[in-house]
Amino acid sequence: TNNLSLEVLILDDETTETGEIGKFSVRLNTQPHEEIDLEITCSDEGEGAVSPSNLSFTRDNYQDFQQVTVTGMNDDENDGDQVYTVHIQVTNPSFSGQTPETVSLLNIDDDTPGLSFGNISGATSEDGGTATFTLKLRYAPIADVTVYLSSSNTAEGAVDPQTIVFTTENWNSPQTITITGVNDDLQDGDQNYSVLITSVESADFDYDGLVVDSIAALNID
């Protein structure tokens, strides 16, 4: 059995039941002697759908990354976040028996109360450079949900707004949070800090007191 070396670059390894996509790219590490066909399949089509389902590489384009998107699927079950895998299999007979490459993804459940974060846009900087990310609820509340945010180090970054209210109407509309770098007049190098969800308050008991992870940030000196 021949073996073929693939390079997989993971761009986003999370999908959501609201249809947000994960992405990865694939290329060959060595020039093939024939056109190479790859079959892309999902271990659980109830969690993710891949597109395209096939890739082809030739002697000319083998070094070019080709992107695969994975769309999160909604199962209408309160089953929590689910880990699943995408398999990349060489289908050429000359490479029969080669072990598929796998990409592990996480599908975020929208049937469980929680907060859903968009990727942070980048680093802040001490000259006032900003970064943004979005925040929304995963699941429709039965009452308003108030989210309080703060910076773990106000000498490095300022958070705006510090309070967001989600209602039963706008719960699924992403709200944008802006982080602005703060100048500390110190030659202390780039500094890591976090945006903290200090508390979540609601008359909806599923959301009230919800504990949420922080969002990592970096301030460029």
Side-chain angles (χ1 to χ4, degrees):
T1 301
N2 295 320
N3 284 308
L4 187 70
S5 177
L6 308 180
E7 182 176 355
V8 180
L9 178 64
I10 299 174
L11 304 172
D12 192 338
D13 61 359
E14 285 189 357
T15 59
T16 71
E17 290 193 357
T18 56
E20 295 181 22
I21 64 173
K23 295 178 288 185
F24 64 90
S25 293
V26 183
R27 71 177 179 183
L28 305 186
N29 281 326
T30 55
Q31 188 177 49
H33 297 294
E34 61 185 286
E35 181 173 313
I36 299 298
D37 296 315
L38 305 180
E39 182 180 42
I40 317 296
T41 58
C42 184
S43 66
D44 188 343
E45 294 181 351
E47 297 294 342
V50 299
S51 178
S53 58
N54 294 277
L55 299 176
S56 293
F57 291 92
T58 66
R59 291 177 56 84
D60 297 325
N61 75 349
Y62 76 98
Q63 290 182 308
D64 298 332
F65 276 110
Q66 297 188 44
Q67 188 174 108
V68 176
T69 61
V70 189
T71 303
M73 305 300 289
N74 186 15
D75 57 13
D76 292 322
E77 295 180 11
N78 186 354
D79 56 354
D81 301 341
Q82 294 290 313
V83 176
Y84 63 104
T85 54
V86 171
H87 302 284
I88 308 166
Q89 178 69 64
V90 182
T91 60
N92 296 56
S94 54
F95 295 94
S96 63
Q98 176 162 327
T99 302
E101 296 284 340
T102 60
V103 176
S104 180
L105 297 103
L106 180 69
N107 196 33
I108 305 299
D109 188 20
D110 69 348
D111 302 304
T112 303
L115 302 184
S116 179
F117 298 94
N119 292 330
I120 193 166
S121 63
T124 60
S125 61
E126 289 195 358
D127 61 1
T130 63
T132 61
F133 65 92
T134 58
L135 177 65
K136 64 182 180 180
L137 303 187
R138 290 188 191 174
Y139 189 71
I142 60 173
D144 289 357
V145 177
T146 304
V147 180
Y148 297 92
L149 306 97
S150 66
S151 172
S152 66
N153 188 344
T154 55
E156 295 294 342
V159 178
D160 182 54
Q162 296 184 346
T163 304
I164 295 177
V165 178
F166 291 99
T167 68
T168 54
E169 287 78 30
N170 77 350
W171 65 274
N172 196 33
S173 299
Q175 305 296 312
T176 299
I177 293 90
T178 300
I179 319 165
T180 302
V182 175
N183 187 6
D184 56 14
D185 293 320
L186 299 174
Q187 187 177 340
D188 55 355
D190 301 341
Q191 293 291 313
N192 292 304
Y193 64 106
S194 301
V195 177
L196 307 176
I197 307 299
T198 52
S199 65
V200 179
E201 297 178 0
S202 178
D204 185 332
F205 294 134
D206 286 333
Y207 276 102
D208 190 48
L210 188 72
V211 177
V212 183
D213 289 339
S214 60
I215 301 94
L218 176 68
N219 196 33
I220 305 299
D221 190 22

